[in-house]
Amino acid sequence: MIDYSQIAKFFETEYPLNKEGLAALMSLFVNKDIAKGTSILQSDTEEKELRFLNSGIIREYYASESKETNINFYTKPQFITDLSSFTGDIKTKKNQEALTDVSLLAVQKSDFRALLEKYQCGKSFIEQSFQKLLKHKELTEYNRITKSPEDLYRELLIYKPHWLQNIPQYHIASYLNITPETLSRIRKRIS
């Protein structure tokens, strides 16, 4: 049986006016249980499904030949799709990996697009999602450029303590763009 409680709650709080077509959208989602360590999205591929995280932890990162740099962690029920790739039919530059066992709801792009043709709420959802995504990206970029790793770590302590409790420290260090040893020194200074 598919658990729709988290996604229903998400729509009630994030998009309360988009009731039209919501039942049709929900019926399109299929449940996917993903094992820890599994790749969910790979760079240089096109995003083919709209995914909602029901439970678990996912890291999002960029990878080069020499290193991986974490750019986000998904720890609460929310959409985790690379919307630029999904809506623009372009290849993503991002990777996603399950850091724990994960439960997702997913709908295929073709099915979602057919729903957009039928219901206005889907268009509004995409527009609002893009606005939130751009706002978050701008704030993250600003913080990474203007704040020290120690300041960024302090913000994680305040705003995302669940990250620090549930995500391995070497992943947190990568997110802060520092070495695990530097993170250890920052943690000692702050304690």
Side-chain angles (χ1 to χ4, degrees):
M1 176 136 180
I2 299 176
D3 179 10
Y4 293 110
S5 61
Q6 294 294 345
I7 196 169
K9 185 177 175 182
F10 177 86
F11 274 106
E12 287 172 15
T13 57
E14 298 292 321
Y15 303 98
L17 302 176
N18 292 332
K19 304 286 187 212
E20 180 189 333
L22 190 55
L25 174 61
M26 297 289 203
S27 72
L28 296 175
F29 280 99
V30 295
N31 190 62
K32 289 187 170 186
D33 292 322
I34 310 290
K36 177 181 177 178
T38 302
S39 177
I40 297 168
L41 178 65
Q42 293 180 322
S43 65
D44 240 9
T45 63
E46 189 179 312
E47 187 74 86
K48 296 286 189 190
E49 58 186 14
L50 183 66
R51 291 182 309 282
F52 183 86
L53 176 64
N54 251 350
S55 64
I57 300 173
I58 294 173
R59 80 175 176 116
E60 189 169 71
Y61 62 98
Y62 293 125
S64 67
E65 288 183 25
S66 59
K67 78 176 201 177
E68 295 178 353
T69 303
N70 292 316
I71 55 173
N72 201 1
F73 299 101
Y74 298 101
T75 58
K76 62 182 181 177
Q78 62 187 297
F79 283 94
I80 61 164
T81 300
D82 179 347
L83 288 177
S84 295
S85 175
F86 184 77
T87 60
D89 299 324
I90 58 175
K91 291 183 178 180
T92 184
K93 293 176 176 58
K94 298 176 181 179
N95 297 278
Q96 293 178 345
E97 175 190 25
L99 290 182
T100 63
D101 288 345
V102 167
S103 175
L104 299 174
L105 295 176
V107 61
Q108 293 301 307
K109 184 191 296 192
S110 57
D111 294 336
F112 183 73
R113 285 188 170 163
L115 189 78
L116 288 182
E117 294 296 318
K118 192 172 181 181
Y119 296 101
Q120 185 62 36
C121 68
K123 292 175 184 149
S124 174
F125 163 72
I126 290 293
E127 288 168 6
Q128 289 179 21
S129 295
F130 262 118
Q131 288 172 3
K132 286 182 179 187
L133 178 72
L134 290 174
K135 187 176 179 181
H136 178 262
K137 184 177 180 177
E138 187 173 301
L139 179 62
T140 301
E141 286 175 1
Y142 175 80
N143 284 342
R144 283 189 159 181
I145 291 169
T146 62
K147 296 183 179 178
S148 70
E150 188 165 327
D151 290 338
L152 293 173
Y153 183 78
R154 287 180 192 276
E155 287 187 358
L156 290 180
L157 282 169
I158 295 167
Y159 299 110
K160 300 194 184 241
H162 56 284
W163 281 19
L164 301 176
Q165 295 166 356
N166 298 307
I167 296 169
Q169 292 302 298
Y170 68 95
H171 282 310
I172 297 293
S174 170
Y175 175 79
L176 296 172
N177 207 18
I178 58 177
T179 65
E181 295 78 19
T182 301
L183 177 57
S184 182
R185 287 191 292 273
I186 288 172
R187 292 176 67 206
K188 285 179 186 173
R189 277 197 303 270
I190 291 175
S191 301

